Amino acid sequence: MSEMTVANASEISRHDFPGDFMFGVGSSAYQVEGSWRTDGKGLSIWDWFCLRHPDKVEGGANGCHSDENYTRMKEDVQILKKMGVNSYRFSISWPRILPGGKVSMGKSKEGINHYNRLIDELLANEIEPFVTLFHSDLPNALEQEYMGFLSSNIEDFVNYADVCFWEFGDRVKNWVTINEPHGFTISGYAQGIWPPGRGGNNKDGDPQTEPYIVAYNLLNSHAAAYTKYQQDYKDIQKGKVGITLDCDYFQPYRGLGCRQDVEAVGYAFDFVIGWFLEPITRGSWPESMQKFGQTPTSEYPNGRVLPTFSSDQRIKLIDSYDFLGINYYTANYVRSPTPDDDIGLGYSMDRQDPDGRYIGEPSFEGSWIYLCPQQLTQLLVHIKETYQVTKEIIITENGSSEKNETRKTYEQVREDKYWINYIKEHLKALKNARDQNVNVRGYFVWSFMDSFEWTSGYSVRFGMIYVDFTKDLERYPKESALWYKKFLWEQDYNKILKRSITQVKDQKLKKART
Protein backbone atom coordinates (compact mmCIF):
# COMPACT_ATOMS: atom_id res chain seq x y z
CA MET A 1 0.00 0.00 0.00
CA SER A 2 1.54 3.31 -1.02
CA GLU A 3 1.76 6.36 1.23
CA MET A 4 -0.07 8.36 -1.45
CA THR A 5 -3.05 5.97 -1.32
CA VAL A 6 -3.33 6.24 2.46
CA ALA A 7 -3.01 10.02 2.35
CA ASN A 8 -5.72 10.39 -0.27
CA ALA A 9 -8.02 7.99 1.52
CA SER A 10 -7.74 9.95 4.76
CA GLU A 11 -9.35 12.96 3.09
CA ILE A 12 -12.84 11.43 3.16
CA SER A 13 -15.16 12.72 5.86
CA ARG A 14 -18.69 12.06 7.09
CA HIS A 15 -19.37 15.69 6.22
CA ASP A 16 -18.85 14.85 2.54
CA PHE A 17 -22.29 13.22 2.60
CA PRO A 18 -25.77 14.54 3.45
CA GLY A 19 -27.05 14.19 6.99
CA ASP A 20 -29.75 11.74 5.89
CA PHE A 21 -27.33 9.52 3.93
CA MET A 22 -27.76 5.86 4.89
CA PHE A 23 -24.67 4.32 6.44
CA GLY A 24 -24.92 0.74 7.55
CA VAL A 25 -23.71 -2.83 7.43
CA GLY A 26 -25.39 -5.90 5.98
CA SER A 27 -26.09 -9.59 6.50
CA SER A 28 -28.35 -12.30 5.15
CA ALA A 29 -30.55 -14.79 6.98
CA TYR A 30 -28.94 -18.06 5.96
CA GLN A 31 -25.46 -16.73 6.58
CA VAL A 32 -25.97 -15.45 10.15
CA GLU A 33 -29.18 -16.70 11.73
CA GLY A 34 -28.36 -20.36 12.42
CA SER A 35 -31.16 -22.06 14.41
CA TRP A 36 -31.98 -23.93 11.22
CA ARG A 37 -34.88 -25.97 12.66
CA THR A 38 -35.81 -23.76 15.61
CA ASP A 39 -39.47 -22.79 16.08
CA GLY A 40 -40.62 -24.86 13.12
CA LYS A 41 -38.52 -23.20 10.43
CA GLY A 42 -38.74 -25.00 7.09
CA LEU A 43 -35.76 -26.12 5.04
CA SER A 44 -34.30 -23.75 2.46
CA ILE A 45 -32.51 -24.89 -0.68
CA TRP A 46 -29.25 -23.92 1.04
CA ASP A 47 -30.07 -26.19 4.01
CA TRP A 48 -30.74 -29.02 1.59
CA PHE A 49 -27.70 -28.31 -0.59
CA CYS A 50 -25.17 -28.11 2.25
CA LEU A 51 -26.47 -31.15 4.10
CA ARG A 52 -26.95 -33.27 0.99
CA HIS A 53 -23.74 -32.21 -0.78
CA PRO A 54 -21.11 -31.29 1.84
CA ASP A 55 -18.44 -31.99 -0.78
CA LYS A 56 -19.55 -28.87 -2.66
CA VAL A 57 -18.80 -26.54 0.30
CA GLU A 58 -15.32 -25.76 1.63
CA GLY A 59 -14.68 -27.95 4.67
CA GLY A 60 -18.11 -29.57 4.33
CA ALA A 61 -19.51 -26.61 6.25
CA ASN A 62 -23.09 -25.36 6.48
CA GLY A 63 -25.11 -22.53 7.99
CA CYS A 64 -27.14 -24.65 10.38
CA HIS A 65 -25.71 -22.78 13.36
CA SER A 66 -23.37 -20.11 11.90
CA ASP A 67 -23.53 -17.00 14.14
CA GLU A 68 -26.80 -17.94 15.91
CA ASN A 69 -28.02 -14.40 15.31
CA TYR A 70 -31.56 -15.76 15.69
CA THR A 71 -31.06 -16.31 19.43
CA ARG A 72 -28.48 -13.54 19.97
CA MET A 73 -30.37 -10.81 18.14
CA LYS A 74 -30.47 -8.29 20.99
CA GLU A 75 -26.74 -8.64 21.61
CA ASP A 76 -26.05 -8.04 17.93
CA VAL A 77 -28.27 -4.96 17.77
CA GLN A 78 -26.27 -3.49 20.65
CA ILE A 79 -23.10 -4.07 18.63
CA LEU A 80 -24.72 -2.23 15.71
CA LYS A 81 -25.57 0.64 18.04
CA LYS A 82 -21.98 0.81 19.28
CA MET A 83 -20.78 0.94 15.68
CA GLY A 84 -22.93 4.03 15.14
CA VAL A 85 -24.71 2.90 11.96
CA ASN A 86 -28.05 4.48 11.14
CA SER A 87 -29.24 1.53 9.02
CA TYR A 88 -28.99 -2.25 9.07
CA ARG A 89 -29.59 -4.39 6.02
CA PHE A 90 -30.81 -7.91 6.73
CA SER A 91 -32.90 -10.48 4.92
CA ILE A 92 -35.99 -12.35 6.01
CA SER A 93 -35.86 -16.11 5.76
CA TRP A 94 -38.78 -17.12 3.55
CA PRO A 95 -39.01 -20.66 5.06
CA ARG A 96 -38.89 -19.20 8.58
CA ILE A 97 -41.99 -17.14 7.80
CA LEU A 98 -43.70 -19.76 5.61
CA PRO A 99 -42.19 -23.19 6.46
CA GLY A 100 -43.96 -24.83 3.52
CA GLY A 101 -43.21 -21.92 1.17
CA LYS A 102 -46.91 -21.17 0.62
CA VAL A 103 -49.45 -19.13 2.54
CA SER A 104 -51.85 -22.06 2.18
CA MET A 105 -49.38 -24.20 4.17
CA GLY A 106 -49.58 -21.80 7.09
CA LYS A 107 -47.61 -18.94 8.62
CA SER A 108 -45.13 -19.36 11.45
CA LYS A 109 -46.09 -17.06 14.33
CA GLU A 110 -42.72 -17.68 15.94
CA GLY A 111 -40.88 -16.66 12.77
CA ILE A 112 -42.97 -13.53 12.33
CA ASN A 113 -42.52 -12.60 15.99
CA HIS A 114 -38.74 -12.93 15.64
CA TYR A 115 -38.61 -10.34 12.86
CA ASN A 116 -41.05 -8.10 14.73
CA ARG A 117 -38.71 -8.15 17.72
CA LEU A 118 -35.67 -7.49 15.52
CA ILE A 119 -37.32 -4.53 13.77
CA ASP A 120 -38.57 -3.07 17.06
CA GLU A 121 -35.15 -3.51 18.67
CA LEU A 122 -33.45 -1.74 15.77
CA LEU A 123 -35.87 1.19 15.85
CA ALA A 124 -35.59 1.48 19.63
CA ASN A 125 -31.86 1.98 19.08
CA GLU A 126 -32.38 4.51 16.26
CA ILE A 127 -31.31 2.09 13.51
CA GLU A 128 -33.41 1.93 10.34
CA PRO A 129 -34.26 -1.60 9.10
CA PHE A 130 -33.44 -2.15 5.41
CA VAL A 131 -35.01 -5.47 4.47
CA THR A 132 -34.38 -7.97 1.68
CA LEU A 133 -37.14 -10.45 0.88
CA PHE A 134 -35.12 -13.00 -1.10
CA HIS A 135 -31.41 -13.56 -0.52
CA SER A 136 -30.95 -16.96 -2.23
CA ASP A 137 -32.71 -19.10 0.41
CA LEU A 138 -35.79 -20.36 -1.45
CA PRO A 139 -38.01 -22.75 0.56
CA ASN A 140 -36.94 -26.26 -0.41
CA ALA A 141 -40.59 -27.31 -0.45
CA LEU A 142 -41.15 -25.17 -3.55
CA GLU A 143 -38.00 -26.51 -5.21
CA GLN A 144 -39.31 -30.01 -4.66
CA GLU A 145 -42.85 -29.20 -5.79
CA TYR A 146 -42.28 -27.22 -8.99
CA MET A 147 -38.50 -26.59 -9.31
CA GLY A 148 -38.60 -23.13 -7.77
CA PHE A 149 -37.77 -20.27 -10.09
CA LEU A 150 -37.66 -22.56 -13.10
CA SER A 151 -41.42 -22.37 -12.83
CA SER A 152 -43.43 -19.35 -13.89
CA ASN A 153 -45.58 -19.87 -10.78
CA ILE A 154 -44.71 -16.54 -9.16
CA GLU A 155 -47.79 -16.25 -6.95
CA ASP A 156 -46.05 -17.85 -3.98
CA PHE A 157 -43.32 -15.20 -3.97
CA VAL A 158 -45.89 -12.41 -4.23
CA ASN A 159 -47.91 -13.94 -1.40
CA TYR A 160 -44.78 -14.20 0.73
CA ALA A 161 -43.95 -10.55 -0.01
CA ASP A 162 -47.54 -9.62 0.85
CA VAL A 163 -47.21 -11.29 4.27
CA CYS A 164 -44.02 -9.32 4.95
CA PHE A 165 -45.52 -6.01 3.79
CA TRP A 166 -48.54 -6.62 6.02
CA GLU A 167 -46.64 -7.77 9.11
CA PHE A 168 -43.66 -5.40 9.01
CA GLY A 169 -44.40 -2.59 6.56
CA ASP A 170 -45.69 -0.20 9.21
CA ARG A 171 -42.06 0.07 10.37
CA VAL A 172 -39.95 -1.03 7.40
CA LYS A 173 -39.60 1.74 4.82
CA ASN A 174 -37.04 0.20 2.47
CA TRP A 175 -37.54 -3.17 0.79
CA VAL A 176 -35.33 -5.11 -1.61
CA THR A 177 -37.34 -7.73 -3.47
CA ILE A 178 -34.48 -9.89 -4.80
CA ASN A 179 -30.77 -9.80 -4.07
CA GLU A 180 -28.32 -10.52 -6.88
CA PRO A 181 -30.56 -12.27 -9.42
CA HIS A 182 -27.51 -12.55 -11.72
CA GLY A 183 -25.38 -14.33 -9.13
CA PHE A 184 -28.24 -16.64 -8.11
CA THR A 185 -28.97 -17.53 -11.73
CA ILE A 186 -25.40 -18.08 -12.92
CA SER A 187 -24.23 -19.97 -9.82
CA GLY A 188 -27.30 -22.16 -9.50
CA TYR A 189 -28.28 -22.86 -13.12
CA ALA A 190 -25.24 -22.22 -15.36
CA GLN A 191 -22.28 -23.26 -13.20
CA GLY A 192 -24.17 -25.57 -10.86
CA ILE A 193 -22.06 -24.60 -7.84
CA TRP A 194 -24.97 -23.20 -5.80
CA PRO A 195 -28.34 -24.75 -5.08
CA PRO A 196 -30.25 -26.15 -6.77
CA GLY A 197 -27.01 -27.28 -8.43
CA ARG A 198 -28.13 -27.38 -12.04
CA GLY A 199 -25.75 -26.84 -14.95
CA GLY A 200 -21.97 -27.02 -14.98
CA ASN A 201 -20.69 -30.58 -14.74
CA ASN A 202 -23.95 -31.85 -13.31
CA LYS A 203 -26.18 -34.07 -15.40
CA ASP A 204 -29.25 -32.13 -14.31
CA GLY A 205 -30.18 -28.91 -16.02
CA ASP A 206 -29.44 -27.14 -19.27
CA PRO A 207 -27.00 -24.22 -18.82
CA GLN A 208 -27.80 -22.93 -22.30
CA THR A 209 -31.51 -22.35 -21.64
CA GLU A 210 -32.36 -22.57 -17.93
CA PRO A 211 -30.52 -19.41 -16.81
CA TYR A 212 -32.68 -17.34 -19.19
CA ILE A 213 -35.86 -18.97 -17.89
CA VAL A 214 -34.89 -18.36 -14.26
CA ALA A 215 -33.95 -14.74 -14.98
CA TYR A 216 -37.29 -14.23 -16.69
CA ASN A 217 -39.20 -15.64 -13.70
CA LEU A 218 -37.14 -13.69 -11.16
CA LEU A 219 -37.84 -10.44 -13.00
CA ASN A 220 -41.57 -11.12 -13.22
CA SER A 221 -41.63 -12.05 -9.52
CA HIS A 222 -39.90 -8.79 -8.65
CA ALA A 223 -42.30 -6.74 -10.79
CA ALA A 224 -45.35 -8.49 -9.32
CA ALA A 225 -44.17 -7.85 -5.75
CA TYR A 226 -43.43 -4.22 -6.60
CA THR A 227 -46.92 -3.83 -8.09
CA LYS A 228 -48.49 -5.45 -5.01
CA TYR A 229 -46.82 -2.87 -2.76
CA GLN A 230 -47.78 0.05 -4.99
CA GLN A 231 -51.41 -0.99 -5.15
CA ASP A 232 -52.03 -2.10 -1.56
CA TYR A 233 -49.47 -0.50 0.72
CA LYS A 234 -47.68 2.52 -0.76
CA ASP A 235 -50.27 5.14 0.18
CA ILE A 236 -50.51 3.87 3.75
CA GLN A 237 -46.96 2.81 4.60
CA LYS A 238 -45.04 5.37 2.48
CA GLY A 239 -42.19 2.94 1.87
CA LYS A 240 -39.89 2.24 -1.08
CA VAL A 241 -39.30 -0.99 -2.99
CA GLY A 242 -36.23 -1.73 -5.08
CA ILE A 243 -34.05 -4.54 -6.37
CA THR A 244 -30.34 -5.22 -5.79
CA LEU A 245 -28.10 -6.11 -8.74
CA ASP A 246 -24.52 -7.34 -8.56
CA CYS A 247 -21.91 -6.02 -10.96
CA ASP A 248 -18.14 -5.68 -11.17
CA TYR A 249 -16.64 -2.99 -13.38
CA PHE A 250 -15.21 -4.14 -16.72
CA GLN A 251 -12.38 -2.60 -18.72
CA PRO A 252 -10.71 -3.78 -21.93
CA TYR A 253 -7.86 -6.25 -21.47
CA ARG A 254 -5.66 -4.67 -24.13
CA GLY A 255 -6.87 -1.11 -23.59
CA LEU A 256 -9.27 1.21 -25.37
CA GLY A 257 -7.30 0.85 -28.60
CA CYS A 258 -8.40 -2.78 -28.99
CA ARG A 259 -11.79 -2.71 -30.67
CA GLN A 260 -12.53 -6.39 -30.00
CA ASP A 261 -11.91 -6.02 -26.27
CA VAL A 262 -13.96 -2.83 -26.07
CA GLU A 263 -16.81 -4.71 -27.73
CA ALA A 264 -16.34 -7.55 -25.25
CA VAL A 265 -16.70 -5.07 -22.38
CA GLY A 266 -20.12 -4.14 -23.76
CA TYR A 267 -21.11 -7.80 -23.81
CA ALA A 268 -19.91 -8.23 -20.22
CA PHE A 269 -22.07 -5.37 -18.95
CA ASP A 270 -25.04 -6.74 -20.93
CA PHE A 271 -24.69 -10.25 -19.52
CA VAL A 272 -24.24 -9.12 -15.91
CA ILE A 273 -26.16 -5.96 -15.04
CA GLY A 274 -27.93 -5.28 -18.33
CA TRP A 275 -29.55 -8.72 -18.15
CA PHE A 276 -31.77 -7.42 -15.33
CA LEU A 277 -31.54 -3.63 -15.57
CA GLU A 278 -32.64 -3.35 -19.19
CA PRO A 279 -35.91 -5.22 -18.56
CA ILE A 280 -36.82 -2.93 -15.62
CA THR A 281 -35.86 0.23 -17.48
CA ARG A 282 -36.79 -0.65 -21.10
CA GLY A 283 -38.86 -3.82 -20.89
CA SER A 284 -36.58 -6.03 -23.01
CA TRP A 285 -33.44 -8.12 -22.98
CA PRO A 286 -30.16 -6.50 -24.14
CA GLU A 287 -29.74 -6.76 -27.90
CA SER A 288 -26.45 -8.64 -27.59
CA MET A 289 -28.12 -11.22 -25.35
CA GLN A 290 -30.83 -11.79 -27.93
CA LYS A 291 -28.16 -12.12 -30.60
CA PHE A 292 -26.14 -14.70 -28.68
CA GLY A 293 -29.27 -16.55 -27.65
CA GLN A 294 -30.08 -17.11 -31.29
CA THR A 295 -26.53 -18.19 -32.17
CA PRO A 296 -26.42 -21.88 -33.21
CA THR A 297 -24.57 -24.26 -30.90
CA SER A 298 -23.86 -27.99 -31.10
CA GLU A 299 -26.82 -28.68 -28.80
CA TYR A 300 -29.05 -26.08 -30.49
CA PRO A 301 -28.14 -25.93 -34.20
CA ASN A 302 -31.05 -23.56 -34.81
CA GLY A 303 -30.22 -21.34 -31.84
CA ARG A 304 -32.24 -20.84 -28.68
CA VAL A 305 -35.38 -18.82 -28.08
CA LEU A 306 -35.30 -16.48 -25.09
CA PRO A 307 -38.50 -16.09 -23.03
CA THR A 308 -40.54 -13.15 -24.29
CA PHE A 309 -42.14 -10.56 -22.01
CA SER A 310 -45.82 -10.04 -22.72
CA SER A 311 -47.19 -6.52 -23.03
CA ASP A 312 -48.65 -6.77 -19.52
CA GLN A 313 -45.34 -8.00 -18.12
CA ARG A 314 -43.47 -5.16 -19.85
CA ILE A 315 -45.85 -2.60 -18.34
CA LYS A 316 -45.24 -4.03 -14.85
CA LEU A 317 -41.48 -4.33 -15.36
CA ILE A 318 -40.66 -0.88 -16.70
CA ASP A 319 -39.86 1.53 -13.87
CA SER A 320 -40.58 -1.14 -11.23
CA TYR A 321 -38.16 0.25 -8.67
CA ASP A 322 -38.08 3.20 -6.28
CA PHE A 323 -34.34 2.76 -5.76
CA LEU A 324 -31.64 0.61 -7.29
CA GLY A 325 -29.37 -1.44 -5.06
CA ILE A 326 -25.86 -2.16 -6.34
CA ASN A 327 -23.48 -4.76 -4.90
CA TYR A 328 -19.92 -3.88 -5.92
CA TYR A 329 -16.67 -5.52 -4.87
CA THR A 330 -14.04 -5.37 -7.60
CA ALA A 331 -13.20 -4.94 -11.32
CA ASN A 332 -12.08 -7.22 -14.14
CA TYR A 333 -10.23 -7.03 -17.42
CA VAL A 334 -12.37 -8.30 -20.29
CA ARG A 335 -11.14 -9.63 -23.61
CA SER A 336 -12.64 -10.95 -26.79
CA PRO A 337 -13.14 -14.73 -26.47
CA THR A 338 -11.09 -17.32 -28.27
CA PRO A 339 -12.74 -20.14 -30.25
CA ASP A 340 -12.42 -22.35 -27.16
CA ASP A 341 -14.44 -19.96 -24.97
CA ASP A 342 -18.18 -20.13 -24.36
CA ILE A 343 -19.97 -18.88 -27.47
CA GLY A 344 -22.96 -17.84 -25.38
CA LEU A 345 -21.24 -14.89 -23.72
CA GLY A 346 -19.01 -13.03 -26.16
CA TYR A 347 -16.40 -12.18 -23.52
CA SER A 348 -13.99 -13.73 -21.05
CA MET A 349 -12.42 -12.20 -17.94
CA ASP A 350 -8.99 -11.88 -16.41
CA ARG A 351 -7.53 -10.22 -13.31
CA GLN A 352 -4.25 -9.39 -15.05
CA ASP A 353 -3.44 -7.25 -18.08
CA PRO A 354 -1.21 -8.52 -20.93
CA ASP A 355 1.89 -7.49 -18.95
CA GLY A 356 0.82 -9.57 -15.95
CA ARG A 357 -0.16 -6.62 -13.75
CA TYR A 358 -3.16 -7.15 -11.47
CA ILE A 359 -6.08 -4.80 -11.89
CA GLY A 360 -5.72 -3.80 -8.24
CA GLU A 361 -4.23 -4.92 -4.94
CA PRO A 362 -5.74 -8.30 -3.90
CA SER A 363 -7.20 -8.69 -0.42
CA PHE A 364 -5.01 -11.80 -0.07
CA GLU A 365 -3.20 -14.16 -2.40
CA GLY A 366 -5.75 -16.09 -4.41
CA SER A 367 -8.64 -13.75 -3.54
CA TRP A 368 -11.19 -12.70 -6.17
CA ILE A 369 -11.42 -9.22 -4.61
CA TYR A 370 -9.02 -6.56 -5.86
CA LEU A 371 -8.94 -2.97 -4.63
CA CYS A 372 -10.52 -1.02 -7.52
CA PRO A 373 -12.38 1.94 -5.97
CA GLN A 374 -12.21 4.41 -8.85
CA GLN A 375 -13.96 1.80 -10.98
CA LEU A 376 -16.94 2.06 -8.63
CA THR A 377 -17.29 5.70 -9.64
CA GLN A 378 -17.04 4.68 -13.29
CA LEU A 379 -19.64 1.93 -12.81
CA LEU A 380 -22.13 4.32 -11.22
CA VAL A 381 -21.67 6.87 -13.98
CA HIS A 382 -22.07 4.06 -16.54
CA ILE A 383 -25.35 2.96 -14.93
CA LYS A 384 -26.68 6.51 -14.85
CA GLU A 385 -25.80 7.28 -18.47
CA THR A 386 -26.40 3.90 -20.12
CA TYR A 387 -29.69 3.03 -18.45
CA GLN A 388 -30.86 6.58 -17.66
CA VAL A 389 -31.09 5.84 -13.94
CA THR A 390 -31.90 9.03 -12.08
CA LYS A 391 -33.60 7.43 -9.09
CA GLU A 392 -31.78 6.75 -5.82
CA ILE A 393 -28.90 4.28 -5.94
CA ILE A 394 -27.93 2.46 -2.76
CA ILE A 395 -24.64 0.56 -2.47
CA THR A 396 -26.16 -2.44 -0.74
CA GLU A 397 -22.91 -4.43 -0.51
CA ASN A 398 -19.26 -3.38 -0.61
CA GLY A 399 -16.52 -5.10 1.31
CA SER A 400 -13.46 -7.28 1.39
CA SER A 401 -12.37 -10.60 2.84
CA GLU A 402 -9.66 -12.14 4.98
CA LYS A 403 -8.41 -15.67 4.40
CA ASN A 404 -9.16 -17.97 7.32
CA GLU A 405 -7.11 -21.07 6.58
CA THR A 406 -6.52 -22.09 10.19
CA ARG A 407 -9.46 -20.43 11.89
CA LYS A 408 -7.38 -17.37 12.70
CA THR A 409 -7.65 -15.87 16.16
CA TYR A 410 -8.94 -12.39 16.92
CA GLU A 411 -5.40 -11.18 17.57
CA GLN A 412 -4.35 -12.41 14.11
CA VAL A 413 -7.04 -10.51 12.20
CA ARG A 414 -7.86 -7.54 14.40
CA GLU A 415 -5.57 -5.13 12.54
CA ASP A 416 -7.28 -5.28 9.15
CA LYS A 417 -5.50 -2.37 7.49
CA TYR A 418 -6.41 -3.49 3.98
CA TRP A 419 -10.06 -3.46 5.03
CA ILE A 420 -9.85 0.09 6.38
CA ASN A 421 -8.20 1.37 3.24
CA TYR A 422 -10.77 -0.50 1.14
CA ILE A 423 -13.66 1.25 2.89
CA LYS A 424 -12.02 4.68 2.79
CA GLU A 425 -11.23 4.47 -0.89
CA HIS A 426 -14.74 3.32 -1.83
CA LEU A 427 -16.34 6.06 0.24
CA LYS A 428 -14.17 8.50 -1.65
CA ALA A 429 -15.37 6.90 -4.90
CA LEU A 430 -18.98 7.47 -3.82
CA LYS A 431 -18.24 11.13 -3.15
CA ASN A 432 -16.75 11.41 -6.63
CA ALA A 433 -19.86 9.78 -8.13
CA ARG A 434 -22.12 12.20 -6.25
CA ASP A 435 -20.00 15.08 -7.53
CA GLN A 436 -20.87 13.82 -11.04
CA ASN A 437 -24.59 13.99 -10.18
CA VAL A 438 -25.12 10.28 -9.58
CA ASN A 439 -27.94 10.05 -7.04
CA VAL A 440 -26.20 7.81 -4.47
CA ARG A 441 -28.10 7.86 -1.18
CA GLY A 442 -26.70 5.03 0.90
CA TYR A 443 -23.77 2.70 1.60
CA PHE A 444 -23.76 -0.69 3.35
CA VAL A 445 -20.50 -2.43 4.22
CA TRP A 446 -20.53 -6.18 3.63
CA SER A 447 -20.61 -7.56 6.09
CA PHE A 448 -21.66 -6.92 9.65
CA MET A 449 -19.89 -9.96 11.08
CA ASP A 450 -17.98 -13.04 10.00
CA SER A 451 -20.40 -15.71 8.88
CA PHE A 452 -21.05 -18.67 6.62
CA GLU A 453 -19.76 -17.56 3.21
CA TRP A 454 -21.75 -19.76 0.84
CA THR A 455 -19.58 -22.40 -0.91
CA SER A 456 -16.46 -20.97 0.79
CA GLY A 457 -17.90 -22.07 4.12
CA TYR A 458 -15.89 -20.52 6.94
CA SER A 459 -12.61 -20.37 5.00
CA VAL A 460 -12.90 -16.59 4.56
CA ARG A 461 -14.03 -13.77 6.82
CA PHE A 462 -16.03 -10.83 5.46
CA GLY A 463 -17.08 -9.27 8.76
CA MET A 464 -16.15 -6.05 10.50
CA ILE A 465 -17.00 -7.94 13.67
CA TYR A 466 -14.84 -11.00 14.34
CA VAL A 467 -16.75 -14.12 15.37
CA ASP A 468 -14.88 -16.82 17.27
CA PHE A 469 -16.30 -20.01 15.75
CA THR A 470 -14.28 -22.13 18.17
CA LYS A 471 -15.40 -20.46 21.39
CA ASP A 472 -19.09 -19.80 21.93
CA LEU A 473 -19.34 -17.52 18.89
CA GLU A 474 -17.91 -14.58 20.84
CA ARG A 475 -17.96 -11.26 18.95
CA TYR A 476 -15.10 -8.73 18.83
CA PRO A 477 -14.68 -5.52 16.80
CA LYS A 478 -11.90 -5.44 14.22
CA GLU A 479 -10.01 -2.20 13.59
CA SER A 480 -12.24 -1.57 10.57
CA ALA A 481 -15.31 -1.53 12.82
CA LEU A 482 -13.61 1.00 15.10
CA TRP A 483 -12.62 3.16 12.11
CA TYR A 484 -16.18 3.06 10.76
CA LYS A 485 -17.50 4.01 14.18
CA LYS A 486 -15.19 7.03 14.32
CA PHE A 487 -16.10 8.03 10.78
CA LEU A 488 -19.84 7.88 11.58
CA TRP A 489 -19.43 9.49 15.00
CA GLU A 490 -17.72 12.53 13.50
CA GLN A 491 -20.96 14.26 12.55
CA ASP A 492 -22.63 13.71 15.92
CA TYR A 493 -19.45 14.73 17.75
CA ASN A 494 -19.22 18.00 15.82
CA LYS A 495 -22.89 18.70 16.51
CA ILE A 496 -22.29 18.21 20.22
CA LEU A 497 -19.12 20.31 20.07
CA LYS A 498 -20.92 23.11 18.23
CA ARG A 499 -23.75 22.98 20.77
CA SER A 500 -21.28 23.13 23.64
CA ILE A 501 -19.40 26.09 22.15
CA THR A 502 -22.70 27.92 21.59
CA GLN A 503 -23.75 27.29 25.19
CA VAL A 504 -20.42 28.63 26.51
CA LYS A 505 -20.78 31.78 24.36
CA ASP A 506 -24.34 32.30 25.59
CA GLN A 507 -23.24 31.94 29.21
CA LYS A 508 -20.42 34.46 28.71
CA LEU A 509 -22.82 36.85 27.00
CA LYS A 510 -25.30 36.60 29.87
CA LYS A 511 -22.55 37.30 32.41
CA ALA A 512 -21.39 40.33 30.42
CA ARG A 513 -24.93 41.73 30.35
CA THR A 514 -25.34 41.32 34.10
Side-chain angles (χ1 to χ4, degrees), residues 12 59 64 91 96 183 236 315 320 361 451 481:
I12 196 68
C64 291
S91 72
R96 197 179 290 282
I236 303 169
I315 290 171
S320 61
E361 181 186 358
S451 60

Coordinates of all heavy atoms in Angstrom, one line a residue, residues 12 59 64 91 96 183 236 315 320 361 451 481:
I12 N -11.4 11.6 3.1 CA -12.8 11.4 3.2 C -13.4 11.7 4.6 O -12.8 11.4 5.6 CB -13.2 10.0 2.7 CG1 -14.7 9.9 2.3 CG2 -12.8 9.0 3.7 CD1 -15.1 10.7 1.1
G59 N -14.7 -27.4 3.3 CA -14.7 -28.0 4.7 C -16.0 -28.7 5.0 O -16.1 -29.1 6.2
C64 N -26.1 -24.2 9.4 CA -27.1 -24.7 10.4 C -27.1 -23.9 11.7 O -28.1 -23.7 12.3 CB -27.0 -26.1 10.6 SG -27.4 -27.2 9.2
S91 N -31.9 -9.8 5.7 CA -32.9 -10.5 4.9 C -33.8 -11.3 5.8 O -33.4 -11.8 6.9 CB -32.3 -11.4 3.8 OG -31.7 -12.5 4.4
R96 N -38.6 -19.4 7.2 CA -38.9 -19.2 8.6 C -40.2 -18.5 8.8 O -40.9 -18.7 9.8 CB -37.8 -18.3 9.2 CG -37.8 -18.4 10.7 CD -36.7 -17.5 11.3 NE -35.3 -18.0 11.1 CZ -34.8 -19.0 11.8 NH1 -35.5 -19.7 12.7 NH2 -33.5 -19.4 11.5
G183 N -26.2 -13.4 -9.8 CA -25.4 -14.3 -9.1 C -26.1 -15.6 -8.8 O -25.6 -16.7 -9.0
I236 N -50.4 4.0 2.3 CA -50.5 3.9 3.8 C -49.1 3.9 4.4 O -48.9 4.6 5.4 CB -51.3 2.6 4.1 CG1 -52.7 2.6 3.5 CG2 -51.4 2.5 5.6 CD1 -53.4 1.3 3.6
I315 N -45.3 -3.7 -19.0 CA -45.9 -2.6 -18.3 C -45.5 -2.7 -16.9 O -45.1 -1.6 -16.2 CB -47.4 -2.6 -18.5 CG1 -47.7 -2.2 -20.0 CG2 -48.0 -1.6 -17.6 CD1 -49.2 -2.4 -20.3
S320 N -40.1 -0.4 -12.4 CA -40.6 -1.1 -11.2 C -39.5 -1.1 -10.1 O -39.2 -2.1 -9.6 CB -40.9 -2.6 -11.6 OG -39.8 -3.3 -12.1
E361 N -4.9 -4.1 -6.0 CA -4.2 -4.9 -4.9 C -5.2 -6.0 -4.4 O -6.3 -5.6 -4.0 CB -3.8 -4.0 -3.8 CG -3.1 -4.7 -2.7 CD -2.8 -3.8 -1.5 OE1 -3.1 -2.6 -1.6 OE2 -2.3 -4.3 -0.5
S451 N -19.3 -14.8 8.9 CA -20.4 -15.7 8.9 C -20.1 -16.8 7.9 O -19.0 -16.9 7.3 CB -21.7 -14.9 8.5 OG -21.5 -14.3 7.2
A481 N -14.1 -1.9 12.1 CA -15.3 -1.5 12.8 C -15.1 -0.3 13.7 O -16.0 0.6 13.7 CB -15.8 -2.7 13.7

